Amino acid sequence: QVQLVESGGGLVQAGGSLRLSCASSGRTFSREAMGWFRQVPGKEREFVAGISPSVGRTYYAESTKGRFTISRDNAENRVYLQMNSLKPEDTAVYYCAAGGTYYRGTDYFETRAYSYWGQGTQVTVSS
């Protein structure tokens, strides 16, 4: 069983930045694909960014590309999401997710590819 704990959410003005962090209890973290998703009430959970286990190849939703950066520290069992130029439409609960080892690029975008999820952290961007 893998436990994921997100932190770093909060309230920020439009144009500002936040850095989310996710700590994993998994003993095989370095071999796990990791992702960030977000969800607003009444809508499906949507992909934000993903990162591969070893070489750290990254994947982004079109809406976050160029503004958000996902990274990982395998020595610390952590994955990060640096969010810049935030917009009110980025307001959501952000979730960290852990998956398997061998994924095609398109797998990262699918919630069903991930086995473990954190409890979420609220990000609110005011206009």
Side-chain angles (χ1 to χ4, degrees):
Q1 187 76 9
V2 174
Q3 290 187 327
L4 302 172
V5 179
E6 302 98 336
S7 60
L11 173 64
V12 64
Q13 288 189 331
S17 299
L18 281 175
R19 189 192 194 205
L20 305 184
S21 177
C22 172
S24 172
S25 68
R27 288 183 288 180
T28 59
F29 176 82
S30 64
R31 299 198 296 272
E32 295 169 353
M34 299 297 296
W36 286 97
F37 288 74
R38 66 188 181 187
Q39 190 170 23
V40 298
K43 292 192 175 181
E44 291 187 356
R45 193 166 295 188
E46 68 170 1
F47 172 76
V48 173
I51 188 166
S52 67
S54 54
V55 299
R57 183 169 294 176
T58 57
Y59 304 87
Y60 295 95
E62 284 300 318
S63 61
T64 61
K65 198 176 295 183
R67 299 187 299 123
F68 291 10
T69 303
I70 187 172
S71 61
R72 65 189 299 158
D73 185 338
N74 287 338
E76 295 291 330
N77 276 25
R78 285 184 176 269
V79 63
Y80 303 97
L81 185 68
Q82 177 67 44
M83 305 185 294
N84 298 330
S85 302
L86 282 161
K87 305 175 181 180
E89 52 264 42
D90 295 318
T91 296
V93 176
Y94 282 70
Y95 296 91
C96 172
T101 301
Y102 301 109
Y103 280 5
R104 299 170 300 181
T106 53
D107 292 332
Y108 286 86
F109 292 76
E110 304 292 337
T111 57
R112 58 184 169 84
Y114 298 86
S115 302
Y116 301 100
W117 295 83
Q119 82 288 349
T121 185
Q122 176 71 46
V123 171
T124 303
V125 184
S126 63
S127 58

